[in-house]
Amino acid sequence: GNRSAPTRLEVRAEVILGNKEFISLNEQRQKAGEPIFANPRNAAAGSLRQLDPRITATRPLDIFCHGIGQVTGVSFQTYDEFLTAIRDWGLKVNPLRRKCHGISEVIDFYREMEEKRESLGYEIDGVVIKVNDLELRERVGVKTRSPRWAIAYKFPARQETTQIEDIIAQVGRTGIVTPVAIMKPVRIGGVEVRRATMHNQDEIDKKDVRIGDWVVVQRAGDVIPEVVKVIKSKRPRDTKKYQIPDSCPVCGSNVVRVEGEAAHRCQNISCPAQLKESIKHFSSRNAMDIEGLGDKLVNQLVERGKVKDFADLYLINKDDWSNLERMAEKSAQNIIDALEKSKHVPADRFIYALGIRFVGEHVSRLLVNHFKTLENLKHADYEELISIHEIGPQVARSVVEFFQEQQNLQTIDRLLKAGISLAELEQQTSDKLAGKTFVLTGALENFTRAEAKNIIESLGGRVASAVSKSTDFVLIGSDPGSKADKAKELGIKIIGESEFQEMIF
């Protein structure tokens, strides 16, 4: 094309397996006596996860490039410009994309793709709507796990008919008791479906779902199974309305419905079902990161009564660890070492690990940056919480309710007495970089990207992924790339590591 190629280009791509190729692959596996794949999506994912790249190379995979990674030597103003450029450089992009002007054009395109869906050579479940202007994307920003500048517009789900064999009550990590429909197996879009969550009592009452009913089932977003409606004309005569039990199916404690909520909850915070899932969350990588504490160990600890809350994890002796199944002396010591290491977790991860409803990783950072100390957060009121940018009413109420619960406060106190150090929380009291936006580019010598990002955020600053007019500083390392060029073009201040260190210390 007319645009000169960059010296470095990284793009994100969607790996696909066409329908014909999928059928051919399964035929080959069947002849070889190997298990067949359930659907093209699973086959593509399984192909990529092969440890031997030679096996992956035999699979008939294809790609569509769609995302902007690191680019050196050239810059783009719009997403459409980026896609056109990489197509001209020989990379494969989806030809069915369209630049739309206004929501009516988006809807027209969606309807057009819905009509073409069945005639395509590969599976799709909708379209993705993206902001075209890259600078506007930067201003819109991202959430912890997804961008605000893109949204999926799903097609209506495929549907099948089956029969409800049972409805069971399932207890989750936060104590919510969820009714789950157990169904005669049915294949929907190449996947066998046996279970579907009914969410809550209101959902069951609204659809009047009963054991024995014949129902229409679909996979919401072509992923999550759900009951759409009951076929009343096929209902057996002896069916009865389903009611979530008053007693927890796991621990037998009272189950109540809190006023203003749709969910029923088990009131026993030591309920094994809750405790197991809470500990798994507490010890997960993005929380306390207790390496080696897997599901099987957690299940044994709870079932043997060794753990009643998070703090008990730090009080178990080596002999008790060694007596668990599949645990030897060395494995026990490894767990103890991992627990000791976890005592020095960053403050925002500690808050996240507590499992406060609606408080994810991003909100945990917001709370730490605003309140500075755990003691301040404990006494936060609704009005102050709601005043924080990105904190809504639901989150604010949840935080207040969590710290009003004495059992939660006692658990936190026990954790602190067990040796959890919140020194890093106390250190996060500076607002040296408050309101400042940084972009990082190039290889840093004294910090990893993650370390630099954590430092900036702990001092009240923000790290963005692309340079825009709202950027205050571009921190560069070796081989900085096009972001430095963009900064010069916009007159954004460029700093090196030495100047960055002067700013933070």
Side-chain angles (χ1 to χ4, degrees), residues 295-484:
D295 292 359
K296 291 182 179 179
L297 284 181
V298 171
N299 291 341
Q300 288 187 68
L301 290 172
V302 174
E303 289 164 7
R304 296 188 184 192
K306 297 295 182 183
V307 175
K308 298 292 194 300
D309 63 25
F310 305 145
D312 286 339
L313 291 170
Y314 297 91
L315 304 178
I316 301 172
N317 60 45
K318 189 173 180 179
D319 288 341
D320 283 338
W321 282 113
S322 299
N323 288 332
L324 296 177
E325 292 177 15
R326 299 184 181 181
M327 286 289 286
E329 185 175 344
K330 183 177 180 181
S331 300
Q333 188 60 52
N334 288 340
I335 286 287
I336 291 172
D337 292 343
L339 284 161
E340 189 63 31
K341 181 181 177 182
S342 75
K343 291 180 179 180
H344 307 288
V345 71
D348 57 325
R349 284 170 50 190
F350 176 77
I351 300 299
Y352 173 62
L354 294 176
I356 306 171
R357 278 199 302 154
F358 312 123
V359 176
E361 297 167 60
H362 178 62
V363 171
S364 297
R365 286 194 291 272
L366 292 177
L367 294 174
V368 168
N369 288 336
H370 180 85
F371 289 101
K372 312 302 182 186
T373 68
L374 179 60
E375 200 60 31
N376 289 342
L377 179 57
K378 283 182 182 179
H379 296 96
D381 60 29
Y382 176 84
E383 295 303 325
E384 184 174 6
L385 284 159
I386 200 70
S387 71
I388 303 171
H389 180 58
E390 295 187 89
I391 299 289
Q394 191 179 48
V395 173
R397 280 194 293 270
S398 179
V399 172
V400 170
E401 290 169 0
F402 180 87
F403 288 107
Q404 285 178 343
E405 175 58 56
Q406 288 301 310
Q407 185 65 42
N408 295 335
L409 296 177
Q410 291 172 16
T411 297
I412 292 172
D413 288 342
R414 293 190 71 222
L415 283 167
L416 298 178
K417 289 176 182 177
I420 300 295
S421 171
L422 296 185
E424 291 187 49
L425 179 61
E426 300 296 340
Q427 290 170 6
Q428 294 176 355
T429 58
S430 171
D431 57 358
K432 286 182 179 181
L433 305 181
K436 302 299 182 184
T437 299
F438 289 74
V439 171
L440 313 181
T441 182
L444 303 175
E445 292 183 7
N446 300 311
F447 309 91
T448 65
R449 287 282 188 93
E451 288 170 343
K453 181 176 185 291
N454 287 337
I455 290 170
I456 291 167
E457 290 180 344
S458 71
L459 298 177
R462 175 175 173 267
V463 176
S465 59
V467 178
S468 69
K469 292 178 182 178
S470 62
T471 304
D472 295 292
F473 301 99
V474 174
L475 171 59
I476 65 171
S478 58
D479 190 22
S482 61
K483 292 180 182 178

Side-chain angles (χ1 to χ4, degrees), residues 264-278:
H264 285 68
R265 293 179 183 274
C266 169
Q267 295 298 93
N268 178 13
I269 61 170
S270 296
C271 171
Q274 293 184 60
L275 190 57
K276 287 178 183 178
E277 296 306 314
S278 295

Side-chain angles (χ1 to χ4, degrees), residues 199-211:
H199 303 292
N200 51 55
Q201 187 67 50
D202 288 349
E203 180 78 0
I204 283 192
D205 292 343
K206 177 183 175 182
K207 296 177 179 177
D208 191 16
V209 179
R210 307 181 186 185
I211 297 171

Side-chain angles (χ1 to χ4, degrees), residues 78-276:
T78 67
Y79 181 57
D80 186 58
E81 181 186 354
F82 160 76
L83 290 176
T84 301
I86 64 173
R87 181 201 63 192
D88 292 345
W89 292 329
L91 296 177
K92 189 170 183 178
V93 300
N94 195 313
L96 297 177
R97 74 183 194 278
R98 182 176 301 167
K99 182 167 66 174
C100 298
H101 302 276
I103 192 63
S104 61
E105 289 190 19
V106 171
I107 294 172
D108 288 343
F109 177 70
Y110 167 86
R111 288 171 177 162
E112 182 183 327
M113 290 301 100
E114 187 178 8
E115 289 179 4
K116 290 183 177 180
R117 179 184 188 184
E118 299 301 332
S119 63
L120 296 177
Y122 50 87
E123 293 288 329
I124 63 171
D125 62 1
V127 300
V128 178
I129 307 163
K130 299 181 181 180
V131 172
N132 190 37
D133 187 308
L134 298 183
E135 183 178 336
L136 186 56
R137 282 190 185 188
E138 179 60 31
R139 288 166 56 192
V140 172
V142 299
K143 296 183 285 187
T144 302
R145 302 182 188 278
S146 60
R148 291 191 174 94
W149 45 261
I151 188 169
Y153 192 176
K154 300 285 190 176
F155 296 138
R158 294 184 174 97
Q159 299 180 338
E160 294 292 345
T161 301
T162 188
Q163 188 176 25
I164 304 291
E165 296 184 322
D166 197 4
I167 300 176
I168 62 172
Q170 187 170 284
V171 185
R173 176 173 64 85
T174 59
I176 292 178
V177 181
T178 303
V180 177
I182 309 300
M183 305 173 293
K184 287 184 176 178
V186 61
R187 295 191 73 81
I188 306 175
V191 175
E192 186 174 84
V193 173
R194 295 171 178 266
R195 299 160 65 95
T197 177
M198 295 303 302
H199 303 292
N200 51 55
Q201 187 67 50
D202 288 349
E203 180 78 0
I204 283 192
D205 292 343
K206 177 183 175 182
K207 296 177 179 177
D208 191 16
V209 179
R210 307 181 186 185
I211 297 171
D213 275 341
W214 284 88
V215 293
V216 176
V217 184
Q218 68 183 21
R219 291 172 64 219
D222 277 356
V223 178
I224 304 170
E226 68 174 356
V227 174
V228 179
K229 64 180 180 179
V230 174
I231 304 173
K232 296 286 181 71
S233 60
K234 298 181 69 175
R235 168 171 284 170
R237 292 182 179 180
D238 57 348
T239 61
K240 296 180 181 179
K241 288 190 174 183
Y242 177 83
Q243 181 68 41
I244 290 177
D246 296 329
S247 299
C248 174
V250 176
C251 70
S253 299
N254 290 335
V255 169
V256 300
R257 179 172 179 172
V258 180
E259 186 177 351
E261 292 190 6
H264 285 68
R265 293 179 183 274
C266 169
Q267 295 298 93
N268 178 13
I269 61 170
S270 296
C271 171
Q274 293 184 60
L275 190 57
K276 287 178 183 178

